Amino acid sequence: MDKILEGLVSSDHSIPVKKAIVKKVVEAAEKEVTEEQCQALFTLTTRLILLGEDAFQKQIGFQVLEAYARYHRPEFERFFNKDFVLSLLQQGYGQLDRKDPAVIDYIHCCLRLLISCPSVLEIFGVIQVEVLRMVCERPEPVLCARLSTLLSDFLQCIPRDKSGVLFCQQLVRTISYFHCFANQERELREYVGQVTKVSTLLQNIWKTEPATLLPSLQEVFAIISSTDPSFDPSIALASLVQHIPVQMITVLIKSLTTDQNVRDASMTKALCRMIDWLSWPLAHHVDTWVIALLKGLAAVQKFTILIDVTLLKIELVFSRLWYPIVRQGALAVLSHMLLSFQHSPEAFHLVVPHVVHLVQSLRTDGLPTSKAFLLQFTELIHCMMYQYSGFPDLYDHILEAIKDLTKPAEEKIKLVLNQSAWTSQSNSFASGLQRQAGKSETGKTGLVNLGNTCYMNSIIQTLFMATDFRRHVLSLNLNGSNTLMKKLQLLFAFLAHTQRAAYAPRNFLEASRPPWFNMGSQQDCSEYLRFLLDRLHEEEKTLQVLESAKPNISSLVDTSSNNTTGATSAEEQEESHLTAAEPKPDGRTLIERTFGGKLITGIRCMQCNCISKKEEPFTDLSLAFCPSAIPQESSQTQGPAEEPRVLCQGSVNGGSEVPEPGLAKAPASNVNFVPVTNEPPLSVPDLVNYFLAPEILDEDNAYFCEKCSSLQRAERTMKVVSAPEYLILTLLRFAYDAKCHIRRKILDNVTIPPLMRLPVHASSSPALCSSSTSSPLQVDSPDSSENLAKKLKPSQKDEEEEEKSVPYVLSSVVMHSGVSSESGHYYSYGHNINGAECSLSTCSALSVPPEQSHKLPNSGREAKDWLLFNDSRVTFTSFQSVQNITNRFPKDTAYVLMYRKQEQPGQNLNGGLMANGMRLSAEPPLQKELLDAIIKDNKLYLQEQELNARTQALQAPSSSCSFRPNGSDDNNPPGSCGPSGGGGGGGGFNTISRLVF
């Protein structure tokens, strides 16, 4: 039979004839054959299989070998023994190299024929040793794939125990040498299929031998973290990722990121190569592992690695979006990399030039998934353009390309950005000492207490939450000036965009602190506010004067309406610095336009009815408390005199609460500090009504009428004739006790309405019998309680003036926690206004009754509409907490309130500027100078965090640390003062001859 077969192979017969002859040879296998004939036939078929000239000869060899081996099993067992297998694997066969895949195919075929024979166990032992040697020789993908197929079918051939671990590690390293240089699709498919077979073998081994998994993964990391420039591992390693159990992510990432033996260069290489794996078409979960590693590095504050890798690989990740088979995973990684890279626009601007082309491609490629993918992609682009506004030259063509696609809501954008920042990553991998204090869930930045500076921190946060004021300050083009307004602008920019959880305003404190404020001492926040606004106002006025005298002197220029570029070139900035800007049409400063209002004080002689009027500007109203012992309708009841009623001028000198002569009455020494329990609590509108109530000037405090040329009984009235955009109200809670020579605090609870109306009168004609700028008024003597009672009595003569009610919505409340003026702590509540406000139809009379406040449209919102700023700590809270704080913590009382003027019905709440130019519809883009400063500080902060984490990681923790969660503060007193908290509580103040409040 062997001669027939050999002659058949070398003959010139046609293929059908040869097949017929082969069929007869196979049928003859059932007949009895001698040992020598079998051996000769096995040798011939082996030569055909291994050395055949074409596929037909190999096919003939396999058919005949299989037939004779089945019917002559003992003979075949003696032929295909362990020595023959060892010779094949170590020396090959004839001219056939031992690394030829045909050798593995032949052995695979023979093992199937011998699977039931006892001698196969000896062959398995030989193969176990030889396959380990073979994978150490780094076989080519095709040979490794054939070997994997053999081992998958015959698991007994896989090395065991320590050899099994070593085999898996070497097989992983072998995969790292797989490279494909083919360009044809067929060849690429073959390559991917070969890699898949090898990775599937490893998956099967990991399942049956779990002890081999971790060493294999350690080998993967050792390979991809190699910094050897001559070695570039194959992305075929990505095929292994899909076989790693997802539940192991946390353990493995923790092991990698906290291992002090892993150098930064190695980690950078590993992360870069994992990102390269996104190009592997069939791998699943690569994006999950890449993002997990990015988060893990952020959690242990290895920001240098993150910055380097992002800038190096962001364009490559973006390029993967062009390929439908890998684009979804690539988008997940791209989104995380861009959204977390919030300290600088550098990464985003690297991919900006490619955005429009990708959008156009997604619109026209016709794939069913492209539309949904395009929506996800444009949401990401909107988030990044929102984060780094101020580059219209870069973004205009993008906005044009995506103008018809849905834009995410601003609140959603803010939430995504807040949750994605590196400093917001959950640090579950580090120990307590390593855990970083990132921003709270509010996304807002706190202010570090620099030593009893809570008075400043609370005011700065209140001004920052005045949305229109903040936007106008940020839109000013100050051209590198060193003014106080410039420092405020920089501080606002940091509060809005820093990565720090809390910013230390040292420079601003030094520039804005009143000269009489001692460093390290507690101070009055209201006094500080007046001084600050006055400084800003006078500064701008001075620049306006200089500008009018010298056109080349720059002034404060509001660029909200004419400068939308935000980031200007150096040439443009230089030109702007040398060119005078146009002053405001009405000549008013930003402080006047934002906080400035006007009052008219009128005095009517009750003898001749001559009226004298004086118009005065104000930036805040100081509201005295009504003496509780005096009935509202009685003019005969004796009682204590009123608290000082101070009218704060546009220019404040000294900022003290001591009233100016002629504007208020001196405080009495017997002020009642205990609220009356059987009457409803006072409200802010009550105090405003008391402030505006008419007052009788009589007896020792009689008015000198110029027309009568004598002292006469008169009536004094105060009317608001110009309502400010932001109404600042200071509650005068501190009264001087003449007996004890201290200033005591009035702890009465005051109801704070979310909405209120301020009566505003039309400005009437000037004084009828004296100048409108009459001399200062003489006021009641301290003992004139009758005049105080009559002050509460309405005027008997109604002037024919037009009156309207201007609606206001509560913006911020500064609280004082403490029982005296010599100690305590300030913190503030801020309304997170997003444009939607209460309907005017709910505002009745001066305020909304408390019992109806639950019906307001805002009351159904989440508590996240209000924020609590307590120095470095910023948390979400609710308006109910603001209203009930004094009931729950009696020493915590409202001190300074800020109300924002509400737009009239029919006006667009976000529709741009109002008539007076005060409302801006969106946050202005950051100017280049501000952006550069923030980017520089953000990089410094990341370096500080990383250095701190590395230092702490080298130190053994001596004790455990616990941290308060950033949650709601509704259950604990927000005004608590500790060494690192408020900085104002307890003793230790310098109170010598100093009235703090």
Side-chain angles (χ1 to χ4, degrees):
M1 285 295 175
D2 57 328
K3 294 183 178 180
I4 295 176
L5 186 59
E6 187 174 358
L8 173 64
V9 171
S10 59
S11 67
D12 295 331
H13 293 300
S14 63
I15 296 299
V17 174
K18 290 182 178 182
K19 288 184 176 181
I21 297 174
V22 170
K23 184 178 181 182
K24 291 182 179 181
V25 173
V26 170
E27 291 175 352
E30 299 179 8
K31 299 179 181 179
E32 191 171 325
V33 183
T34 64
E35 175 78 18
E36 294 181 355
Q37 288 178 328
C38 282
Q39 295 297 327
L41 195 61
F42 290 147
T43 301
L44 178 59
T45 53
T46 299
R47 183 163 55 86
L48 289 176
I49 293 171
L50 296 177
L51 303 176
E53 298 177 356
D54 53 35
F56 180 70
Q57 291 185 2
K58 296 178 183 296
Q59 181 182 0
I60 291 175
F62 276 119
Q63 289 181 354
V64 175
L65 177 65
E66 184 177 352
Y68 279 83
R70 182 178 298 112
Y71 290 103
H72 306 280
R73 186 65 55 84
E75 290 81 1
F76 181 68
E77 189 175 357
R78 286 189 290 272
F79 172 78
F80 190 76
N81 54 44
K82 65 175 183 177
D83 296 328
F84 181 57
V85 172
L86 184 62
S87 174
L88 288 174
L89 293 174
Q90 291 185 350
Q91 302 174 12
Y93 189 82
Q95 300 176 351
L96 188 67
D97 187 78
R98 61 188 175 86
K99 295 183 179 181
D100 194 295
V103 173
I104 301 300
D105 291 340
Y106 174 76
I107 294 175
H108 192 181
C109 175
C110 293
L111 287 175
R112 286 201 301 266
L113 299 174
L114 284 179
I115 190 61
S116 59
C117 300
S119 62
V120 76
L121 298 178
E122 296 180 346
I123 298 176
F124 287 160
V126 171
I127 295 178
Q128 284 181 359
V129 175
E130 288 303 308
V131 294
L132 179 57
R133 177 189 58 79
M134 290 176 67
V135 295
C136 291
E137 294 176 348
R138 311 293 176 247
E140 292 296 319
V142 59
L143 176 59
C144 205
R146 302 285 179 85
L147 185 63
S148 297
T149 302
L150 184 152
L151 297 178
S152 296
D153 288 346
F154 297 98
L155 299 179
Q156 302 91 329
C157 296
I158 299 175
R160 303 294 178 187
D161 302 326
K162 292 183 178 180
S163 297
V165 172
L166 182 59
F167 174 76
C168 290
Q169 290 177 318
Q170 291 301 319
L171 191 56
V172 166
R173 189 161 288 274
T174 297
I175 296 176
S176 70
Y177 283 87
F178 287 177
H179 292 285
C180 179
F181 304 101
N183 295 321
Q184 299 298 322
E185 182 179 353
R186 180 185 61 81
E187 295 173 333
L188 292 173
R189 288 182 179 275
E190 289 179 355
Y191 172 73
V192 172
Q194 293 161 1
V195 173
T196 302
K197 288 180 180 179
V198 180
S199 64
T200 302
L201 171 64
L202 274 171
Q203 178 192 18
N204 294 334
I205 296 175
W206 292 342
K207 286 182 177 179
T208 55
E209 298 289 339
T212 62
L213 176 57
L214 189 57
S216 300
L217 299 182
Q218 291 172 339
E219 187 70 17
V220 172
F221 183 76
I223 293 169
I224 64 176
S225 63
S226 172
T227 56
D228 183 0
S230 63
F231 176 60
D232 184 22
S234 170
I235 66 168
L237 287 169
S239 62
L240 301 178
V241 174
Q242 59 190 326
H243 302 311
I244 304 173
V246 178
Q247 58 268 27
M248 292 187 65
I249 288 181
T250 302
V251 176
L252 294 176
I253 297 301
K254 178 180 179 180
S255 175
L256 291 177
T257 56
T258 59
D259 188 348
Q260 298 301 313
N261 296 320
V262 179
R263 295 179 295 114
D264 284 359
S266 299
M267 183 63 76
T268 301
K269 277 289 185 182
L271 184 54
C272 286
R273 284 164 175 158
M274 286 183 67
I275 292 174
D276 291 338
W277 292 353
L278 292 170
S279 302
W280 188 254
L282 300 180
H284 302 291
H285 309 308
V286 172
D287 56 317
T288 304
W289 282 92
V290 171
I291 293 173
L293 184 53
L294 291 170
K295 289 183 176 181
L297 290 171
V300 294
Q301 295 132 43
K302 294 188 177 180
F303 301 119
T304 301
I305 298 175
L306 293 170
I307 292 173
D308 292 343
V309 171
T310 301
L311 296 178
L312 186 64
K313 290 296 182 179
I314 195 72
E315 291 179 279
L316 181 141
V317 176
F318 188 92
S319 68
R320 300 301 93 187
L321 302 182
W322 291 87
Y323 304 100
I325 195 170
V326 297
R327 68 169 42 143
Q328 201 62 51
L331 179 62
V333 175
L334 179 74
S335 298
H336 182 82
M337 293 175 75
L338 287 179
L339 292 172
S340 61
F341 198 92
Q342 293 186 15
H343 67 281
S344 163
E346 188 176 0
F348 178 53
H349 287 176
L350 286 175
V351 302
V352 162
H354 314 295
V355 170
V356 172
H357 300 298
L358 179 61
V359 170
Q360 294 171 346
S361 175
L362 291 172
R363 288 181 182 273
T364 58
D365 64 9
L367 296 176
T369 58
S370 294
K371 184 177 181 180
F373 182 83
L374 179 59
L375 292 177
Q376 297 175 14
F377 176 69
T378 53
E379 280 194 7
L380 170 64
I381 298 303
H382 276 300
C383 286
M384 298 313 301
M385 291 191 295
Y386 177 89
Q387 173 71 6
Y388 294 111
S389 58
F391 299 91
D393 53 323
L394 297 178
Y395 302 160
D396 279 345
H397 62 295
I398 298 178
L399 290 173
E400 181 65 24
I402 62 176
K403 62 183 179 181
D404 59 327
L405 299 174
T406 304
K407 180 181 179 181
E410 183 175 351
E411 282 306 301
K412 180 180 179 181
I413 292 177
K414 290 180 179 179
L415 179 63
V416 170
L417 290 171
N418 181 43
Q419 293 176 343
S420 303
W422 287 333
T423 50
S424 300
Q425 302 302 326
S426 175
N427 190 352
S428 58
F429 305 141
S431 63
L433 285 175
Q434 290 177 291
R435 192 170 296 130
Q436 69 183 33
K439 276 192 177 182
S440 70
E441 61 177 340
T442 65
K444 300 295 183 182
T445 303
L447 288 170
V448 176
N449 192 304
L450 302 175
N452 287 340
T453 57
C454 56
Y455 69 91
M456 179 187 71
N457 292 348
S458 59
I459 291 300
I460 293 303
Q461 295 287 18
T462 296
L463 293 176
F464 182 80
M465 293 304 290
T467 307
D468 303 308
F469 179 66
R470 176 184 74 244
R471 291 175 177 175
H472 276 268
V473 169
L474 290 174
S475 66
L476 292 173
N477 184 3
L478 301 179
N479 302 321
S481 65
N482 193 33
T483 61
L484 181 60
M485 181 64 81
K486 176 65 178 181
K487 291 180 171 60
L488 180 63
Q489 183 186 60
L490 185 63
L491 178 54
F492 277 3
F494 272 105
L495 286 176
H497 299 284
T498 185
Q499 293 287 295
R500 299 178 185 272
Y503 181 74
R506 292 184 177 86
N507 293 336
F508 190 79
L509 171 64
E510 190 64 29
S512 65
R513 179 173 56 87
W516 59 90
F517 276 23
N518 295 324
M519 283 294 292
S521 298
Q522 179 65 286
Q523 306 294 345
D524 180 4
C525 74
S526 176
E527 185 178 0
Y528 174 77
L529 173 61
R530 295 170 193 166
F531 177 81
L532 176 61
L533 297 183
D534 181 51
R535 276 280 309 278
L536 295 172
H537 164 72
E538 293 298 332
E539 184 180 82
E540 186 173 355
K541 276 292 187 186
T542 301
L543 290 176
Q544 287 179 356
V545 172
L546 293 175
E547 179 184 320
S548 62
K550 297 179 181 180
N552 64 331
I553 300 252
S554 174
S555 72
L556 300 179
V557 182
D558 190 340
T559 59
S560 59
S561 58
N562 54 21
N563 179 17
T564 59
T565 61
T568 58
S569 66
E571 294 80 0
E572 291 172 332
Q573 291 215 6
E574 182 66 23
E575 180 181 354
S576 175
H577 182 71
L578 297 176
T579 304
E582 291 295 328
K584 290 297 173 185
D586 57 4
R588 294 190 300 162
T589 65
L590 176 60
I591 300 302
E592 289 177 310
R593 288 181 288 119
T594 307
F595 304 105
K598 290 182 181 179
L599 279 171
I600 286 185
T601 302
I603 299 181
R604 180 173 60 88
C605 175
M606 302 182 72
Q607 178 66 29
C608 65
N609 286 327
C610 178
I611 300 176
S612 173
K613 291 187 177 181
K614 178 181 178 182
E615 184 175 276
E616 302 169 298
F618 69 89
T619 53
D620 73 310
L621 300 178
S622 294
L623 307 180
F625 280 74
C626 311
S628 57
I630 302 177
Q632 292 289 322
E633 298 300 328
S634 173
S635 62
Q636 304 298 325
T637 305
Q638 300 295 319
E642 64 171 20
E643 275 282 297
R645 185 183 67 188
V646 181
L647 170 62
C648 301
Q649 304 291 326
S651 175
V652 180
N653 295 320
S656 172
E657 278 188 14
V658 178
E660 298 178 16
L663 289 182
K665 296 172 184 172
S669 61
N670 56 345
V671 177
N672 184 4
F673 297 100
V674 181
V676 179
T677 57
N678 58 352
E679 293 187 8
L682 289 172
S683 68
V684 173
D686 292 336
L687 300 184
V688 174
N689 280 333
Y690 179 60
F691 179 85
L692 298 175
E695 179 180 8
I696 301 299
L697 305 179
D698 198 2
E699 297 181 353
D700 293 340
N701 199 36
Y703 168 65
F704 182 84
C705 177
E706 294 183 2
K707 184 176 180 181
C708 299
S709 298
S710 61
L711 292 173
Q712 296 292 338
R713 181 182 175 89
E715 179 186 61
R716 181 172 68 175
T717 58
M718 300 184 71
K719 296 179 180 178
V720 178
V721 294
S722 177
E725 285 296 321
Y726 282 87
L727 176 64
I728 301 176
L729 304 175
T730 301
L731 309 188
L732 300 180
R733 289 190 171 274
F734 301 96
Y736 183 72
D737 188 337
K739 293 182 179 179
C740 300
H741 301 288
I742 61 172
R743 287 167 63 84
R744 291 183 174 176
K745 181 177 179 180
I746 302 174
L747 295 173
D748 292 21
N749 188 14
V750 176
T751 302
I752 304 173
L755 298 169
M756 64 175 286
R757 288 181 178 269
L758 181 69
V760 178
H761 299 259
S763 182
S764 59
S765 59
L768 301 181
C769 62
S770 64
S771 170
S772 60
T773 57
S774 58
S775 60
L777 305 176
Q778 299 297 320
V779 296
D780 305 330
S781 66
D783 297 328
S784 180
S785 58
E786 179 183 359
N787 283 337
L788 176 62
K790 292 178 180 179
K791 171 180 169 57
L792 302 177
K793 197 171 183 178
S795 173
Q796 300 298 319
K797 180 179 177 68
D798 293 327
E799 299 180 6
E800 294 181 359
E801 294 179 352
E802 180 183 353
E803 178 183 333
K804 63 177 180 179
S805 294
V806 177
Y808 282 90
V809 61
L810 186 63
S811 173
S812 297
V813 181
V814 177
M815 310 294 294
H816 174 262
S817 178
V819 295
S820 73
S821 61
E822 280 73 31
S823 64
H825 174 58
Y826 291 109
Y827 59 95
S828 63
Y829 290 97
H831 189 188
N832 198 15
I833 298 176
N834 300 315
E837 299 174 356
C838 299
S839 170
L840 291 176
S841 61
T842 63
C843 303
S844 176
L846 186 63
S847 69
V848 179
E851 63 272 13
Q852 296 180 10
S853 61
H854 67 280
K855 300 179 182 179
L856 295 176
N858 272 2
S859 62
R861 295 185 178 183
E862 296 182 359
K864 295 184 178 181
D865 278 355
W866 281 85
L867 300 168
L868 171 59
F869 297 93
N870 197 339
D871 286 335
S872 301
R873 184 176 170 82
V874 185
T875 53
F876 284 121
T877 186
S878 64
F879 182 67
Q880 285 70 28
S881 177
V882 182
Q883 289 181 314
N884 300 328
I885 188 69
T886 305
N887 290 331
R888 292 184 292 120
F889 306 105
K891 70 174 183 176
D892 291 33
T893 55
Y895 185 39
V896 177
L897 297 88
M898 184 178 290
Y899 280 86
R900 177 179 185 248
K901 185 187 289 185
Q902 197 172 38
E903 297 181 11
Q904 300 298 322
Q907 285 183 319
N908 186 359
L909 291 175
N910 288 317
L913 298 176
M914 291 177 59
N916 61 1
M918 279 311 302
R919 293 290 167 89
L920 294 178
S921 60
E923 297 294 329
L926 279 184
Q927 300 174 44
K928 186 177 185 303
E929 186 178 359
L930 297 175
L931 184 61
D932 290 345
I934 292 171
I935 291 174
K936 181 179 179 181
D937 185 73
N938 282 342
K939 289 182 178 179
L940 177 62
Y941 169 65
L942 295 178
Q943 292 169 358
E944 291 171 356
Q945 293 293 98
E946 182 172 358
L947 179 61
N948 184 53
R950 291 177 186 275
T951 302
Q952 292 178 343
L954 295 175
Q955 302 171 352
S958 57
S959 61
S960 60
C961 297
S962 61
F963 295 81
R964 287 183 62 187
N966 286 324
S968 174
D969 272 75
D970 291 351
N971 298 321
N972 297 304
S976 56
C977 301
S980 60
F989 302 113
N990 180 9
T991 59
I992 301 176
S993 66
R994 176 80 193 125
L995 299 180
V996 180
F997 291 92

